[in-house]
PDB file of all heavy atoms in Angstrom:
ATOM      1  N   ALA A   1     107.498 119.580  96.765  1.00  0.00           N
ATOM      2  CA  ALA A   1     106.423 118.766  97.339  1.00  0.00           C
ATOM      3  C   ALA A   1     105.089 119.084  96.665  1.00  0.00           C
ATOM      4  O   ALA A   1     104.306 118.185  96.351  1.00  0.00           O
ATOM      5  CB  ALA A   1     106.328 119.002  98.845  1.00  0.00           C
ATOM      6  N   LYS A   2     104.846 120.368  96.414  1.00  0.00           N
ATOM      7  CA  LYS A   2     103.617 120.782  95.733  1.00  0.00           C
ATOM      8  C   LYS A   2     103.576 120.236  94.309  1.00  0.00           C
ATOM      9  O   LYS A   2     102.565 119.723  93.850  1.00  0.00           O
ATOM     10  CB  LYS A   2     103.526 122.309  95.707  1.00  0.00           C
ATOM     11  CG  LYS A   2     102.203 122.847  95.233  1.00  0.00           C
ATOM     12  CD  LYS A   2     102.193 124.368  95.158  1.00  0.00           C
ATOM     13  CE  LYS A   2     102.532 124.968  96.493  1.00  0.00           C
ATOM     14  NZ  LYS A   2     102.484 126.448  96.490  1.00  0.00           N
ATOM     15  N   ARG A   3     104.712 120.320  93.607  1.00  0.00           N
ATOM     16  CA  ARG A   3     104.805 119.815  92.235  1.00  0.00           C
ATOM     17  C   ARG A   3     104.581 118.296  92.211  1.00  0.00           C
ATOM     18  O   ARG A   3     103.902 117.774  91.332  1.00  0.00           O
ATOM     19  CB  ARG A   3     106.163 120.183  91.642  1.00  0.00           C
ATOM     20  CG  ARG A   3     106.286 119.889  90.173  1.00  0.00           C
ATOM     21  CD  ARG A   3     107.593 120.399  89.573  1.00  0.00           C
ATOM     22  NE  ARG A   3     108.754 119.803  90.201  1.00  0.00           N
ATOM     23  CZ  ARG A   3     109.668 120.476  90.916  1.00  0.00           C
ATOM     24  NH1 ARG A   3     109.553 121.782  91.079  1.00  0.00           N
ATOM     25  NH2 ARG A   3     110.694 119.855  91.456  1.00  0.00           N
ATOM     26  N   ASN A   4     105.131 117.585  93.200  1.00  0.00           N
ATOM     27  CA  ASN A   4     104.946 116.133  93.273  1.00  0.00           C
ATOM     28  C   ASN A   4     103.482 115.769  93.442  1.00  0.00           C
ATOM     29  O   ASN A   4     102.983 114.839  92.804  1.00  0.00           O
ATOM     30  CB  ASN A   4     105.756 115.546  94.429  1.00  0.00           C
ATOM     31  CG  ASN A   4     107.237 115.613  94.196  1.00  0.00           C
ATOM     32  OD1 ASN A   4     107.697 115.845  93.081  1.00  0.00           O
ATOM     33  ND2 ASN A   4     108.001 115.430  95.248  1.00  0.00           N
ATOM     34  N   LEU A   5     102.764 116.482  94.291  1.00  0.00           N
ATOM     35  CA  LEU A   5     101.335 116.209  94.469  1.00  0.00           C
ATOM     36  C   LEU A   5     100.541 116.539  93.213  1.00  0.00           C
ATOM     37  O   LEU A   5      99.605 115.822  92.864  1.00  0.00           O
ATOM     38  CB  LEU A   5     100.785 116.968  95.675  1.00  0.00           C
ATOM     39  CG  LEU A   5     101.161 116.376  97.021  1.00  0.00           C
ATOM     40  CD1 LEU A   5     100.606 117.237  98.158  1.00  0.00           C
ATOM     41  CD2 LEU A   5     100.672 114.947  97.167  1.00  0.00           C
ATOM     42  N   ASN A   6     100.916 117.609  92.520  1.00  0.00           N
ATOM     43  CA  ASN A   6     100.252 117.939  91.255  1.00  0.00           C
ATOM     44  C   ASN A   6     100.495 116.843  90.221  1.00  0.00           C
ATOM     45  O   ASN A   6      99.589 116.456  89.486  1.00  0.00           O
ATOM     46  CB  ASN A   6     100.741 119.283  90.715  1.00  0.00           C
ATOM     47  CG  ASN A   6     100.171 120.449  91.479  1.00  0.00           C
ATOM     48  OD1 ASN A   6      99.115 120.337  92.103  1.00  0.00           O
ATOM     49  ND2 ASN A   6     100.875 121.565  91.468  1.00  0.00           N
ATOM     50  N   MET A   7     101.731 116.315  90.186  1.00  0.00           N
ATOM     51  CA  MET A   7     102.056 115.237  89.256  1.00  0.00           C
ATOM     52  C   MET A   7     101.242 113.987  89.601  1.00  0.00           C
ATOM     53  O   MET A   7     100.720 113.319  88.719  1.00  0.00           O
ATOM     54  CB  MET A   7     103.554 114.935  89.328  1.00  0.00           C
ATOM     55  CG  MET A   7     104.055 114.161  88.162  1.00  0.00           C
ATOM     56  SD  MET A   7     105.838 113.898  88.156  1.00  0.00           S
ATOM     57  CE  MET A   7     106.521 115.262  89.030  1.00  0.00           C
ATOM     58  N   LEU A   8     101.133 113.685  90.888  1.00  0.00           N
ATOM     59  CA  LEU A   8     100.334 112.546  91.334  1.00  0.00           C
ATOM     60  C   LEU A   8      98.877 112.731  90.917  1.00  0.00           C
ATOM     61  O   LEU A   8      98.240 111.800  90.425  1.00  0.00           O
ATOM     62  CB  LEU A   8     100.438 112.406  92.854  1.00  0.00           C
ATOM     63  CG  LEU A   8      99.597 111.314  93.487  1.00  0.00           C
ATOM     64  CD1 LEU A   8     100.070 109.937  93.046  1.00  0.00           C
ATOM     65  CD2 LEU A   8      99.649 111.436  95.004  1.00  0.00           C
ATOM     66  N   ASN A   9      98.364 113.931  91.060  1.00  0.00           N
ATOM     67  CA  ASN A   9      96.989 114.241  90.664  1.00  0.00           C
ATOM     68  C   ASN A   9      96.792 114.005  89.171  1.00  0.00           C
ATOM     69  O   ASN A   9      95.803 113.400  88.749  1.00  0.00           O
ATOM     70  CB  ASN A   9      96.661 115.685  91.039  1.00  0.00           C
ATOM     71  CG  ASN A   9      95.205 116.012  90.858  1.00  0.00           C
ATOM     72  OD1 ASN A   9      94.367 115.142  90.720  1.00  0.00           O
ATOM     73  ND2 ASN A   9      94.907 117.300  90.860  1.00  0.00           N
ATOM     74  N   HIS A  10      97.756 114.435  88.356  1.00  0.00           N
ATOM     75  CA  HIS A  10      97.651 114.237  86.905  1.00  0.00           C
ATOM     76  C   HIS A  10      97.789 112.769  86.532  1.00  0.00           C
ATOM     77  O   HIS A  10      97.119 112.284  85.622  1.00  0.00           O
ATOM     78  CB  HIS A  10      98.691 115.059  86.160  1.00  0.00           C
ATOM     79  CG  HIS A  10      98.441 116.540  86.199  1.00  0.00           C
ATOM     80  ND1 HIS A  10      97.213 117.093  86.434  1.00  0.00           N
ATOM     81  CD2 HIS A  10      99.284 117.590  86.042  1.00  0.00           C
ATOM     82  CE1 HIS A  10      97.293 118.405  86.420  1.00  0.00           C
ATOM     83  NE2 HIS A  10      98.538 118.739  86.187  1.00  0.00           N
ATOM     84  N   LEU A  11      98.664 112.053  87.233  1.00  0.00           N
ATOM     85  CA  LEU A  11      98.876 110.637  86.949  1.00  0.00           C
ATOM     86  C   LEU A  11      97.614 109.833  87.246  1.00  0.00           C
ATOM     87  O   LEU A  11      97.200 108.998  86.455  1.00  0.00           O
ATOM     88  CB  LEU A  11     100.043 110.101  87.786  1.00  0.00           C
ATOM     89  CG  LEU A  11     100.314 108.602  87.698  1.00  0.00           C
ATOM     90  CD1 LEU A  11     100.785 108.232  86.297  1.00  0.00           C
ATOM     91  CD2 LEU A  11     101.364 108.196  88.728  1.00  0.00           C
ATOM     92  N   CYS A  12      96.996 110.105  88.377  1.00  0.00           N
ATOM     93  CA  CYS A  12      95.822 109.326  88.802  1.00  0.00           C
ATOM     94  C   CYS A  12      94.528 109.833  88.181  1.00  0.00           C
ATOM     95  O   CYS A  12      93.632 109.053  87.905  1.00  0.00           O
ATOM     96  CB  CYS A  12      95.692 109.358  90.323  1.00  0.00           C
ATOM     97  SG  CYS A  12      97.070 108.594  91.161  1.00  0.00           S
ATOM     98  N   GLY A  13      94.437 111.135  88.002  1.00  0.00           N
ATOM     99  CA  GLY A  13      93.195 111.717  87.514  1.00  0.00           C
ATOM    100  C   GLY A  13      92.228 111.944  88.665  1.00  0.00           C
ATOM    101  O   GLY A  13      92.258 111.249  89.682  1.00  0.00           O
ATOM    102  N   GLU A  14      91.401 112.932  88.515  1.00  0.00           N
ATOM    103  CA  GLU A  14      90.452 113.332  89.562  1.00  0.00           C
ATOM    104  C   GLU A  14      89.560 112.172  90.011  1.00  0.00           C
ATOM    105  O   GLU A  14      89.306 111.997  91.198  1.00  0.00           O
ATOM    106  CB  GLU A  14      89.598 114.499  89.033  1.00  0.00           C
ATOM    107  CG  GLU A  14      88.961 115.342  90.091  1.00  0.00           C
ATOM    108  CD  GLU A  14      89.947 116.133  90.938  1.00  0.00           C
ATOM    109  OE1 GLU A  14      90.956 116.629  90.419  1.00  0.00           O
ATOM    110  OE2 GLU A  14      89.684 116.245  92.148  1.00  0.00           O
ATOM    111  N   ALA A  15      89.102 111.368  89.072  1.00  0.00           N
ATOM    112  CA  ALA A  15      88.173 110.274  89.391  1.00  0.00           C
ATOM    113  C   ALA A  15      88.829 109.185  90.236  1.00  0.00           C
ATOM    114  O   ALA A  15      88.143 108.494  90.988  1.00  0.00           O
ATOM    115  CB  ALA A  15      87.614 109.672  88.107  1.00  0.00           C
ATOM    116  N   SER A  16      90.143 109.025  90.143  1.00  0.00           N
ATOM    117  CA  SER A  16      90.827 107.946  90.864  1.00  0.00           C
ATOM    118  C   SER A  16      91.489 108.391  92.158  1.00  0.00           C
ATOM    119  O   SER A  16      92.118 107.582  92.837  1.00  0.00           O
ATOM    120  CB  SER A  16      91.882 107.313  89.963  1.00  0.00           C
ATOM    121  OG  SER A  16      91.275 106.720  88.846  1.00  0.00           O
ATOM    122  N   LEU A  17      91.368 109.660  92.516  1.00  0.00           N
ATOM    123  CA  LEU A  17      92.034 110.143  93.725  1.00  0.00           C
ATOM    124  C   LEU A  17      91.537 109.454  94.989  1.00  0.00           C
ATOM    125  O   LEU A  17      92.256 109.391  95.983  1.00  0.00           O
ATOM    126  CB  LEU A  17      91.884 111.662  93.858  1.00  0.00           C
ATOM    127  CG  LEU A  17      92.789 112.482  92.954  1.00  0.00           C
ATOM    128  CD1 LEU A  17      92.547 113.967  93.154  1.00  0.00           C
ATOM    129  CD2 LEU A  17      94.253 112.140  93.183  1.00  0.00           C
ATOM    130  N   GLU A  18      90.343 108.878  94.945  1.00  0.00           N
ATOM    131  CA  GLU A  18      89.852 108.150  96.114  1.00  0.00           C
ATOM    132  C   GLU A  18      90.664 106.885  96.378  1.00  0.00           C
ATOM    133  O   GLU A  18      90.597 106.314  97.456  1.00  0.00           O
ATOM    134  CB  GLU A  18      88.379 107.805  95.955  1.00  0.00           C
ATOM    135  CG  GLU A  18      88.104 106.826  94.831  1.00  0.00           C
ATOM    136  CD  GLU A  18      86.627 106.609  94.568  1.00  0.00           C
ATOM    137  OE1 GLU A  18      85.828 107.495  94.890  1.00  0.00           O
ATOM    138  OE2 GLU A  18      86.297 105.544  94.049  1.00  0.00           O
ATOM    139  N   LYS A  19      91.469 106.467  95.407  1.00  0.00           N
ATOM    140  CA  LYS A  19      92.317 105.285  95.568  1.00  0.00           C
ATOM    141  C   LYS A  19      93.737 105.647  96.006  1.00  0.00           C
ATOM    142  O   LYS A  19      94.613 104.797  96.039  1.00  0.00           O
ATOM    143  CB  LYS A  19      92.379 104.492  94.264  1.00  0.00           C
ATOM    144  CG  LYS A  19      91.047 103.888  93.873  1.00  0.00           C
ATOM    145  CD  LYS A  19      91.166 103.090  92.623  1.00  0.00           C
ATOM    146  CE  LYS A  19      89.832 102.451  92.278  1.00  0.00           C
ATOM    147  NZ  LYS A  19      89.925 101.579  91.132  1.00  0.00           N
ATOM    148  N   VAL A  20      93.966 106.915  96.327  1.00  0.00           N
ATOM    149  CA  VAL A  20      95.274 107.379  96.766  1.00  0.00           C
ATOM    150  C   VAL A  20      95.255 107.545  98.285  1.00  0.00           C
ATOM    151  O   VAL A  20      94.332 108.142  98.839  1.00  0.00           O
ATOM    152  CB  VAL A  20      95.646 108.724  96.102  1.00  0.00           C
ATOM    153  CG1 VAL A  20      96.953 109.269  96.661  1.00  0.00           C
ATOM    154  CG2 VAL A  20      95.735 108.566  94.594  1.00  0.00           C
ATOM    155  N   VAL A  21      96.272 106.989  98.930  1.00  0.00           N
ATOM    156  CA  VAL A  21      96.433 107.143 100.373  1.00  0.00           C
ATOM    157  C   VAL A  21      97.690 107.968 100.593  1.00  0.00           C
ATOM    158  O   VAL A  21      98.767 107.616 100.101  1.00  0.00           O
ATOM    159  CB  VAL A  21      96.563 105.771 101.077  1.00  0.00           C
ATOM    160  CG1 VAL A  21      96.810 105.951 102.559  1.00  0.00           C
ATOM    161  CG2 VAL A  21      95.333 104.926 100.828  1.00  0.00           C
ATOM    162  N   LEU A  22      97.560 109.074 101.303  1.00  0.00           N
ATOM    163  CA  LEU A  22      98.694 109.922 101.621  1.00  0.00           C
ATOM    164  C   LEU A  22      99.171 109.563 103.025  1.00  0.00           C
ATOM    165  O   LEU A  22      98.376 109.548 103.968  1.00  0.00           O
ATOM    166  CB  LEU A  22      98.285 111.398 101.550  1.00  0.00           C
ATOM    167  CG  LEU A  22      97.751 111.838 100.183  1.00  0.00           C
ATOM    168  CD1 LEU A  22      97.134 113.219 100.266  1.00  0.00           C
ATOM    169  CD2 LEU A  22      98.854 111.819  99.143  1.00  0.00           C
ATOM    170  N   VAL A  23     100.460 109.252 103.147  1.00  0.00           N
ATOM    171  CA  VAL A  23     101.023 108.779 104.409  1.00  0.00           C
ATOM    172  C   VAL A  23     102.210 109.654 104.790  1.00  0.00           C
ATOM    173  O   VAL A  23     103.074 109.925 103.956  1.00  0.00           O
ATOM    174  CB  VAL A  23     101.495 107.307 104.269  1.00  0.00           C
ATOM    175  CG1 VAL A  23     102.133 106.811 105.554  1.00  0.00           C
ATOM    176  CG2 VAL A  23     100.344 106.406 103.843  1.00  0.00           C
ATOM    177  N   SER A  24     102.248 110.074 106.039  1.00  0.00           N
ATOM    178  CA  SER A  24     103.414 110.824 106.518  1.00  0.00           C
ATOM    179  C   SER A  24     104.370 109.857 107.208  1.00  0.00           C
ATOM    180  O   SER A  24     103.951 108.934 107.906  1.00  0.00           O
ATOM    181  CB  SER A  24     102.994 111.952 107.453  1.00  0.00           C
ATOM    182  OG  SER A  24     102.289 111.457 108.561  1.00  0.00           O
ATOM    183  N   THR A  25     105.664 110.069 106.981  1.00  0.00           N
ATOM    184  CA  THR A  25     106.690 109.176 107.513  1.00  0.00           C
ATOM    185  C   THR A  25     107.683 109.950 108.380  1.00  0.00           C
ATOM    186  O   THR A  25     107.649 111.176 108.424  1.00  0.00           O
ATOM    187  CB  THR A  25     107.475 108.502 106.369  1.00  0.00           C
ATOM    188  OG1 THR A  25     108.121 109.514 105.580  1.00  0.00           O
ATOM    189  CG2 THR A  25     106.565 107.655 105.488  1.00  0.00           C
ATOM    190  N   LYS A  26     108.549 109.219 109.014  1.00  0.00           N
ATOM    191  CA  LYS A  26     109.681 109.724 109.801  1.00  0.00           C
ATOM    192  C   LYS A  26     109.252 110.427 111.084  1.00  0.00           C
ATOM    193  O   LYS A  26     109.932 111.327 111.566  1.00  0.00           O
ATOM    194  CB  LYS A  26     110.600 110.576 108.936  1.00  0.00           C
ATOM    195  CG  LYS A  26     111.081 109.784 107.722  1.00  0.00           C
ATOM    196  CD  LYS A  26     112.346 110.268 107.172  1.00  0.00           C
ATOM    197  CE  LYS A  26     112.738 109.373 106.002  1.00  0.00           C
ATOM    198  NZ  LYS A  26     113.834 109.861 105.262  1.00  0.00           N
ATOM    199  N   TRP A  27     108.168 109.989 111.665  1.00  0.00           N
ATOM    200  CA  TRP A  27     107.717 110.497 112.957  1.00  0.00           C
ATOM    201  C   TRP A  27     108.730 110.181 114.050  1.00  0.00           C
ATOM    202  O   TRP A  27     108.800 110.888 115.053  1.00  0.00           O
ATOM    203  CB  TRP A  27     106.364 109.888 113.308  1.00  0.00           C
ATOM    204  CG  TRP A  27     105.215 110.487 112.574  1.00  0.00           C
ATOM    205  CD1 TRP A  27     104.998 110.483 111.229  1.00  0.00           C
ATOM    206  CD2 TRP A  27     104.101 111.169 113.150  1.00  0.00           C
ATOM    207  NE1 TRP A  27     103.819 111.115 110.933  1.00  0.00           N
ATOM    208  CE2 TRP A  27     103.249 111.539 112.101  1.00  0.00           C
ATOM    209  CE3 TRP A  27     103.744 111.483 114.454  1.00  0.00           C
ATOM    210  CZ2 TRP A  27     102.054 112.224 112.309  1.00  0.00           C
ATOM    211  CZ3 TRP A  27     102.561 112.161 114.664  1.00  0.00           C
ATOM    212  CH2 TRP A  27     101.736 112.537 113.590  1.00  0.00           C
ATOM    213  N   GLU A  28     109.508 109.107 113.867  1.00  0.00           N
ATOM    214  CA  GLU A  28     110.458 108.691 114.893  1.00  0.00           C
ATOM    215  C   GLU A  28     111.573 109.710 115.105  1.00  0.00           C
ATOM    216  O   GLU A  28     112.314 109.638 116.080  1.00  0.00           O
ATOM    217  CB  GLU A  28     111.054 107.312 114.552  1.00  0.00           C
ATOM    218  CG  GLU A  28     112.057 107.294 113.421  1.00  0.00           C
ATOM    219  CD  GLU A  28     111.440 107.285 112.017  1.00  0.00           C
ATOM    220  OE1 GLU A  28     110.196 107.296 111.887  1.00  0.00           O
ATOM    221  OE2 GLU A  28     112.204 107.271 111.039  1.00  0.00           O
ATOM    222  N   ARG A  29     111.686 110.693 114.250  1.00  0.00           N
ATOM    223  CA  ARG A  29     112.707 111.735 114.403  1.00  0.00           C
ATOM    224  C   ARG A  29     112.332 112.769 115.457  1.00  0.00           C
ATOM    225  O   ARG A  29     113.121 113.653 115.759  1.00  0.00           O
ATOM    226  CB  ARG A  29     112.944 112.423 113.061  1.00  0.00           C
ATOM    227  CG  ARG A  29     113.584 111.502 112.049  1.00  0.00           C
ATOM    228  CD  ARG A  29     113.946 112.216 110.800  1.00  0.00           C
ATOM    229  NE  ARG A  29     114.671 111.304 109.917  1.00  0.00           N
ATOM    230  CZ  ARG A  29     115.155 111.658 108.754  1.00  0.00           C
ATOM    231  NH1 ARG A  29     115.014 112.891 108.324  1.00  0.00           N
ATOM    232  NH2 ARG A  29     115.789 110.770 108.012  1.00  0.00           N
ATOM    233  N   PHE A  30     111.134 112.657 116.006  1.00  0.00           N
ATOM    234  CA  PHE A  30     110.651 113.617 116.986  1.00  0.00           C
ATOM    235  C   PHE A  30     110.503 112.962 118.361  1.00  0.00           C
ATOM    236  O   PHE A  30     110.035 111.840 118.465  1.00  0.00           O
ATOM    237  CB  PHE A  30     109.286 114.186 116.561  1.00  0.00           C
ATOM    238  CG  PHE A  30     109.339 114.973 115.291  1.00  0.00           C
ATOM    239  CD1 PHE A  30     109.169 114.342 114.064  1.00  0.00           C
ATOM    240  CD2 PHE A  30     109.566 116.334 115.304  1.00  0.00           C
ATOM    241  CE1 PHE A  30     109.217 115.060 112.881  1.00  0.00           C
ATOM    242  CE2 PHE A  30     109.624 117.059 114.130  1.00  0.00           C
ATOM    243  CZ  PHE A  30     109.452 116.425 112.907  1.00  0.00           C
ATOM    244  N   TYR A  31     110.907 113.683 119.393  1.00  0.00           N
ATOM    245  CA  TYR A  31     110.686 113.206 120.756  1.00  0.00           C
ATOM    246  C   TYR A  31     109.263 113.508 121.189  1.00  0.00           C
ATOM    247  O   TYR A  31     108.658 112.776 121.953  1.00  0.00           O
ATOM    248  CB  TYR A  31     111.659 113.887 121.731  1.00  0.00           C
ATOM    249  CG  TYR A  31     113.090 113.509 121.473  1.00  0.00           C
ATOM    250  CD1 TYR A  31     113.989 114.433 120.950  1.00  0.00           C
ATOM    251  CD2 TYR A  31     113.551 112.224 121.739  1.00  0.00           C
ATOM    252  CE1 TYR A  31     115.302 114.087 120.702  1.00  0.00           C
ATOM    253  CE2 TYR A  31     114.861 111.863 121.498  1.00  0.00           C
ATOM    254  CZ  TYR A  31     115.734 112.802 120.987  1.00  0.00           C
ATOM    255  OH  TYR A  31     117.025 112.455 120.740  1.00  0.00           O
ATOM    256  N   ASP A  32     108.742 114.610 120.696  1.00  0.00           N
ATOM    257  CA  ASP A  32     107.399 115.071 121.041  1.00  0.00           C
ATOM    258  C   ASP A  32     106.564 115.031 119.764  1.00  0.00           C
ATOM    259  O   ASP A  32     106.895 115.681 118.776  1.00  0.00           O
ATOM    260  CB  ASP A  32     107.492 116.500 121.579  1.00  0.00           C
ATOM    261  CG  ASP A  32     106.149 117.090 121.950  1.00  0.00           C
ATOM    262  OD1 ASP A  32     105.110 116.401 121.807  1.00  0.00           O
ATOM    263  OD2 ASP A  32     106.120 118.257 122.372  1.00  0.00           O
TER     264      ASP A  32
END
């Protein structure tokens, strides 16, 4: 997961990170 975010950072570049939206998924797997 850390490597994936680093790759995303390199792909987009520091200047374009404001155009990246990080979304968490699979909340439905939790009752609480």
Side-chain angles (χ1 to χ4, degrees):
K2 189 183 303 182
R3 189 174 60 245
N4 291 345
L5 284 178
N6 285 336
M7 197 176 332
L8 177 66
N9 189 15
H10 290 338
L11 175 66
C12 297
E14 202 67 38
S16 297
L17 283 179
E18 66 187 25
K19 294 182 178 185
V20 175
V21 177
L22 301 169
V23 178
S24 59
T25 61
K26 304 205 178 171
W27 283 62
E28 73 279 0
R29 293 186 175 182
F30 296 89
Y31 294 110
D32 179 0

